[in-house]
Amino acid sequence: MGENRLTLHQPGARQTFLELFATEPVETMMKKRAAIAKRQHRDPSKWYDGLFGEWNMETQVLLGPDNYDRIKGCRIYEVTCDDPGLSKPAYLATKNAEHPDAAEVAALDRYIDTFVWGGLQRTTQEAYKTTGVRIRLVWASVPCRESGRCHPTAGGLWWL
């Protein structure tokens, strides 16, 4: 697997080099990548229950909003936000459209029901505001303290 270089020896001391890349079948690679479903926060007492996290192989820790492990400073954003965090369920949903797996579909359902609905996004029971940006205290704690522009609401939510 991986990069390969073949050398063909021909008469007259001539050589031809063939470079190629070999992989496992695409379906196998997709199923292996879907292991992210096993890296899901499963704690109903946390606002981010259902979030897919990063796994630190060296320290054997699931990273999340309450545990950045060895990531410091503004790089903590990389733990669960935007591309690193929100792309995992999109991949998992795409993979399951072609190669369904009941446990992975259940993980996606939990992500939507417990993290997205009421965690990442407002529920229909929460008060509607026409302006403002909704963020969680974990992601806003340092800028809020330094700027004083944040206003706490129930459940650890902040409005900027």
Side-chain angles (χ1 to χ4, degrees):
M1 297 294 154
E3 296 179 19
N4 293 283
R5 183 176 179 175
L6 300 176
T7 304
L8 303 175
H9 297 279
Q10 301 171 1
R14 294 184 309 169
Q15 295 179 334
T16 300
F17 301 102
L18 301 174
E19 295 186 17
L20 56 114
F21 190 87
T23 66
E24 295 178 298
V26 173
E27 182 177 349
T28 301
M29 291 190 302
M30 289 177 71
K31 287 179 179 179
K32 285 183 177 181
R33 178 67 180 118
I36 56 177
K38 297 174 185 163
R39 299 183 195 118
Q40 186 175 42
H41 292 275
R42 294 176 175 269
D43 183 349
S45 70
K46 302 290 186 184
W47 69 264
Y48 54 87
D49 180 39
L51 173 70
F52 294 105
E54 295 289 338
W55 179 255
N56 185 333
M57 292 173 53
E58 185 177 342
T59 60
Q60 299 294 295
V61 171
L62 181 62
L63 306 181
D66 292 336
N67 183 4
Y68 301 115
D69 198 24
R70 298 188 305 188
I71 299 175
K72 306 289 183 223
C74 65
R75 289 184 17 216
I76 62 174
Y77 176 79
E78 299 171 7
V79 173
T80 57
C81 297
D82 292 347
D83 295 340
L86 302 179
S87 64
K88 293 177 183 74
Y91 170 79
L92 206 54
T94 302
K95 181 263 178 198
N96 275 278
E98 293 293 323
H99 309 288
D101 178 277
E104 293 168 5
V105 172
L108 283 166
D109 287 343
R110 184 182 190 125
Y111 172 82
I112 293 167
D113 293 342
T114 63
F115 174 65
V116 174
W117 187 247
L120 188 63
Q121 297 177 353
R122 269 186 239 139
T123 68
T124 53
Q125 282 72 43
E126 293 178 274
Y128 177 76
K129 290 193 174 195
T130 57
T131 61
V133 177
R134 179 182 180 191
I135 56 175
R136 286 288 178 173
L137 175 61
V138 172
W139 285 304
S141 59
V142 174
C144 286
R145 284 195 309 259
E146 291 175 357
S147 71
R149 293 183 305 176
C150 298
H151 309 286
T153 63
L157 297 175
W158 289 74
W159 285 96
L160 295 178

